[in-house]
Amino acid sequence: MTRYPGCLPLTSPAAASSVTGRRISSRPAWAALVRRSGSSEEECPQGVDPMAPGNPIIMAVGPLVGLYPLASKTVAMFKSPHTGNLGESQAGGRSAVAIRMAGYGAIVIRGVSASPVYLVVEGSHVHFRDASALWDLSSAYTTGTIMRQRESGAGVRSIMRIGRAGERGVTYASVITETFRHFGRLGLGAVFGSKRLKGLVISGGRSLPVADRRAYRALYDQIYKAATESPVMKKYHELGTAMNVLPLNAMGALPTRNLQSGHFDEAESISGERLAAEYLGRRVACAHCPVACVHLGTLRLPYPKEPYFYKTSMVGYDHEPIFAVGSLLGGSDVSGIFQLLDEAEVQGLDVMSLGVTLAWATEAFQRGLISEKETDGLALEWGAYPAYIAATKRIVKQPNDFYRALARGAEYAATIYGGADFALTFGKNEMPGYHTGPGCHLGYLTGARHSHLDSAGYSIDQKAAATGKTLTPEDVAAGLLEEERWRQVLTSLVVCLFARGIYTPEIVFKSLASAGFVCTNDDLTRIGADILRRKVAFKRREGFDETTLRIPKRILETATPLGVIDEEFMRKTIQLYTENV
Amino acid sequence: MAKRLSVLDAGRCVGCQSCMFACARRPGLGGLAASSIWVKSAGGVRKGYVVVVCRACPGPPCSRVCPTDALPLRVGGGVRLKPELCIGCRNCVEACPFGAVLWDGEHDKPEICVYCGFCAPYCPYDVLKMEEMTHVER
């Protein structure tokens, strides 16, 4: 192990106050799951300021990581500076496999460092590296490059880092891992920044014994075959999630110009089909996942001072980023979209919250709630990417009160400047790219982390649209609860939610058994329900109140494929969900 | 004729590491300690990947630097590991110009490819293939 001049010993007063590694592999699965999911409430003091040293960061993996394909996610739990409540964000890349291979079930980071540091975990060795020279670097790409060059473990490590957005407390700053994967939502990057933690490099290469070697290989092959050949995975490894753009647009469910419409005339230009045909440069995978859903587009920019000279970069794209900075901003210029996505990567921002916040700002500008006085001379017009890129830099730099407000998201900005009716936030978190009916929005509202991935309400809407069945609040509440409970199990294992069609309850039992954990169907059902209840209890402890949930008026004004959403239906469903959770 | 693992086109590698996990799984283990394949980024994910496998050299430097003859030559190219002779000096790791001699930290021994080909079918994009070796006189 090379020791660098700036390397601080674990006991140094300048080092962050506490790092704890937990090994869960010897614990029964249910205990690991409950412990894992429950660790926020155990570690997080009631009422703690999300930016205070007492806010813990817990990064946990699960019992299937390193054993089976597509079990490659890390769950980060923290108190969110964006919502002031439960923070949960999941990332792939090499993070999960690296944490498990280093020998840990979870990593807990508490306290604050006196000066900037980044953490290096190599198996059982933990080092604090001086990061004061890395602080305020203009690009998170550069930070990643430096950590890559300085540290060992190439190929079996994860390099997590923040950009300036995290350093400066933008409440929706991300933590970037392996450049194109992120702990994107709910502001983990700002919590890193508040601890003066610039990054975390973790590596290891251990082996994991299994109960029955022959059965392990046979089950592995079954899962691997499904992952590479099953039609349920096809969309992820061909066009990627960007294939959703055209079908959603055709049904009128693609949020456009801050959801003034569910239809974007220029959707063809930003479709997964067009991006694949004209821009897709490379597809890459998370560790231990043959699907390779990560789509990287090529951004080719001419150098203005000399002809025939170009800079070519790679930009990650998916449905959500394309919706957030494409249709929602009324833009179809792929080069502009890619440049804005690249800027979000440079600064370390959650691109979904960024896009929705910029969409609110654009409409507020058009309605005269704000002017060039607030925007510092920028004309925010639909599809005006040079202005959006300049505004993104200012959100991070925060030169005035307006950008300081935008740095806290659309809901906060609307409390200062007005326009709450068209601030598209749910539980203070900015919306995802579906306007399919009441189900999707109820999922955003009731979901523990206010994400479309909590309970997939859009799927309830789309099934209703396909079958012609009329939704009732009872059906929707029951559907959301059932899905969200089961997803607690999947996200504790930790299986990528794209693999939810593969990891059926039967496969989950079998894979847990081969890892040495025995549980029954009843156990899993009970564990899923218990985790969700405990998350909701944590949120209530921290002041969350379902009865005061804000429903943005805009979603009730713009028709969905299932018609205009009725507010009474929404309130009734929220009530039923709450009573039954 | 002896076979070896060939990297047909690293430009198609997506970095999923299915081959690395397959290599460890052949003896029935999860994780990566028992893997003798190494996939790493070529300077960040943006640049693609480097796939490191043992190319079964006819005059392998790893064998030449082994002080205890723990890496005798395999007939047709490459080496075998005699773990009972290995003293864990890591000379072989240093000697391989490809970095293809990986280290199993749990046993303190090198991980030496046995040219079994178990990994190749798990590559989703045909990056790896078992091939007959053709010798070049040198």
Side-chain angles (χ1 to χ4, degrees):
Chain A
M1 179 61 233
T2 313
R3 288 184 73 84
Y4 297 95
C7 178
L8 300 169
L10 193 57
T11 50
S12 161
S17 64
S18 164
V19 176
T20 315
R22 289 223 178 82
R23 292 163 197 267
I24 59 165
S25 51
S26 61
R27 298 168 65 88
W30 64 268
L33 294 171
V34 174
R35 171 81 189 164
R36 227 288 318 291
S37 68
S39 49
S40 275
E41 64 195 272
E42 291 165 20
E43 304 281 349
C44 186
Q46 183 167 0
V48 72
D49 176 346
M51 300 294 272
N55 186 17
I57 297 168
I58 299 148
M59 291 187 162
V61 298
L64 302 187
V65 172
L67 284 174
Y68 290 101
L70 291 96
S72 298
K73 288 272 193 176
T74 304
V75 178
M77 305 291 298
F78 51 99
K79 193 166 173 187
S80 165
H82 195 53
T83 64
N85 212 306
L86 181 74
E88 176 177 347
S89 194
Q90 303 175 9
R94 303 201 180 288
S95 61
V97 169
I99 291 172
R100 188 94 201 266
M101 291 294 96
Y104 300 97
I107 294 171
V108 181
I109 302 170
R110 274 192 236 94
V112 60
S113 174
S115 61
V117 293
Y118 72 89
L119 261 174
V120 178
V121 181
E122 290 166 321
S124 57
H125 300 281
V126 179
H127 309 271
F128 290 81
R129 305 271 197 243
D130 177 18
S132 49
L134 301 184
W135 209 253
D136 202 33
L137 267 177
S138 59
S139 168
Y141 285 119
T142 311
T143 304
T145 302
I146 289 163
M147 290 180 182
R148 187 183 310 122
Q149 289 171 348
R150 280 189 92 197
E151 304 302 334
S152 63
V156 292
R157 66 185 171 189
S158 181
I159 302 176
M160 305 175 195
R161 67 272 192 180
I162 59 169
R164 275 181 171 164
E167 295 173 4
R168 297 183 184 190
V170 178
T171 61
Y172 46 94
S174 69
V175 173
I176 301 162
T177 178
E178 283 69 75
T179 309
F180 298 110
R181 298 292 88 188
H182 314 86
F183 294 95
R185 309 232 67 192
L186 299 175
L188 182 62
V191 183
F192 264 55
S194 75
K195 299 187 181 312
R196 298 193 187 89
L197 179 62
K198 184 67 179 166
L200 169 60
V201 184
I202 183 162
S203 62
R206 66 199 289 253
S207 57
L208 300 169
V210 294
D212 177 339
R213 293 175 177 209
R214 192 174 298 241
Y216 169 52
R217 281 193 294 254
L219 181 59
Y220 190 102
D221 286 348
Q222 186 183 342
I223 295 170
Y224 185 88
K225 192 165 187 285
T228 48
E229 294 173 19
S230 151
V232 298
M233 298 309 295
K234 194 176 167 188
K235 77 181 237 191
Y236 301 116
H237 60 79
E238 290 188 354
L239 293 178
T241 56
M243 79 165 287
N244 288 335
V245 170
L246 288 182
L248 285 172
N249 194 51
M251 69 178 79
L254 182 67
T256 300
R257 291 184 299 279
N258 203 35
L259 196 55
Q260 292 176 11
S261 171
H263 180 83
F264 187 40
D265 286 341
E266 298 151 65
E268 200 78 47
S269 303
I270 59 169
S271 64
E273 288 80 353
R274 174 163 188 244
L275 293 177
E278 296 184 30
Y279 294 91
L280 182 57
R282 185 184 290 286
R283 275 176 40 212
V284 298
C286 294
H288 212 180
C289 176
V291 176
C293 77
V294 186
H295 286 59
L296 304 182
T298 47
L299 171 62
R300 189 165 171 254
L301 291 176
Y303 178 58
K305 294 182 183 173
E306 186 181 315
Y308 308 112
F309 189 97
Y310 295 91
K311 179 181 100 167
T312 302
S313 323
M314 304 298 268
V315 177
Y317 68 82
D318 255 308
H319 171 68
E320 303 299 342
I322 289 168
F323 130 78
V325 307
S327 63
L328 199 73
L329 293 179
S332 60
D333 164 22
V334 175
S335 176
I337 290 170
F338 278 9
Q339 287 178 64
L340 183 50
L341 292 178
D342 195 52
E343 189 61 36
E345 199 81 56
V346 162
Q347 303 287 352
L349 285 163
D350 171 31
V351 75
M352 292 166 69
S353 287
L354 174 68
V356 174
T357 300
L358 289 174
W360 170 85
T362 306
E363 186 164 345
F365 187 83
Q366 292 198 332
R367 289 170 179 264
L369 298 177
I370 54 170
S371 66
E372 290 193 9
K373 182 171 149 282
E374 281 78 21
T375 64
D376 199 15
L378 293 180
L380 297 178
E381 310 282 352
W382 300 122
Y385 288 103
Y388 288 140
I389 290 163
T392 300
K393 292 180 199 282
R394 289 174 201 189
I395 285 171
V396 175
K397 200 172 177 191
Q398 299 168 42
N400 65 16
D401 285 342
F402 175 67
Y403 288 107
R404 273 190 287 279
L406 288 191
R408 296 175 67 174
E411 182 150 335
Y412 178 80
T415 63
I416 308 288
Y417 298 95
D421 289 351
F422 55 87
L424 297 169
T425 60
F426 298 81
K428 298 184 185 167
N429 193 25
E430 284 75 11
M431 79 175 287
Y434 308 87
H435 183 57
T436 47
C440 69
H441 295 291
L442 284 160
Y444 314 152
L445 285 163
T446 58
R449 52 190 168 123
H450 303 289
S451 156
H452 60 301
L453 293 170
D454 281 322
S455 48
Y458 55 86
S459 173
I460 294 174
D461 293 332
Q462 283 167 292
K463 279 177 192 154
T467 58
K469 186 171 177 275
T470 306
L471 290 175
T472 66
E474 288 77 12
D475 290 343
V476 176
L480 291 173
L481 265 174
E482 186 186 352
E483 186 66 24
E484 192 167 4
R485 285 171 177 156
W486 175 244
R487 288 183 178 213
Q488 305 307 311
V489 175
L490 294 178
T491 57
S492 295
L493 289 173
V494 178
V495 168
C496 176
L497 287 172
F498 288 175
R500 61 189 181 274
I502 296 175
Y503 279 89
T504 59
E506 190 202 347
I507 295 290
V508 169
F509 295 134
K510 283 189 183 171
S511 54
L512 277 173
S514 81
F517 303 115
V518 179
C519 58
T520 65
N521 198 7
D522 287 348
D523 287 336
L524 289 183
T525 306
R526 182 173 44 73
I527 289 165
D530 185 51
I531 293 171
L532 181 58
R533 261 195 304 275
R534 290 172 69 171
K535 283 182 180 173
V536 172
F538 176 93
K539 288 175 71 177
R540 286 180 185 151
R541 190 192 89 177
E542 298 299 321
F544 180 71
D545 180 357
E546 296 87 347
T547 61
T548 60
L549 264 176
R550 191 182 76 90
I551 300 175
K553 275 231 172 60
R554 174 59 46 81
I555 70 162
L556 308 172
E557 294 163 354
T558 301
T560 75
L562 296 177
V564 174
I565 297 172
D566 170 35
E567 184 166 1
E568 271 311 296
F569 183 102
M570 300 288 283
R571 294 283 174 203
K572 175 74 180 159
T573 311
I574 294 169
Q575 186 197 334
L576 287 168
Y577 175 98
T578 306
E579 286 167 6
N580 291 303
V581 75
Chain B
M1 197 65 145
K3 288 191 169 186
R4 74 165 178 203
L5 193 60
S6 293
V7 179
L8 296 185
D9 186 354
R12 285 202 299 261
C13 177
V14 295
C16 70
Q17 303 186 329
S18 295
C19 54
M20 291 168 61
F21 281 95
C23 184
R25 196 167 61 255
R26 179 180 163 272
L29 287 169
L32 291 169
S35 182
S36 52
I37 304 176
W38 186 20
V39 177
K40 57 181 177 175
S41 78
V45 174
R46 286 177 286 176
K47 308 263 176 24
Y49 295 91
V50 175
V51 183
V52 181
V53 301
C54 174
R55 71 185 300 261
C57 319
C62 57
S63 176
R64 276 184 269 144
V65 298
C66 179
T68 59
D69 294 329
L71 292 171
L73 300 186
R74 179 182 72 137
V75 176
V79 295
R80 290 180 295 123
L81 173 67
K82 288 189 162 178
E84 69 280 7
L85 296 180
C86 174
I87 55 169
C89 71
R90 293 181 182 239
N91 280 2
C92 50
V93 175
E94 298 294 326
C96 177
F98 304 102
V101 178
L102 302 183
W103 200 253
D104 176 354
E106 293 182 346
H107 298 96
D108 213 27
K109 307 273 183 225
E111 269 302 324
I112 300 293
C113 179
V114 298
Y115 320 106
C116 70
F118 186 79
C119 54
Y122 290 95
C123 177
Y125 299 101
D126 299 323
V127 174
L128 296 174
K129 190 184 177 190
M130 283 300 281
E131 285 187 332
E132 296 284 344
M133 290 176 64
T134 48
H135 281 291
V136 179
E137 291 299 324
R138 61 188 77 190

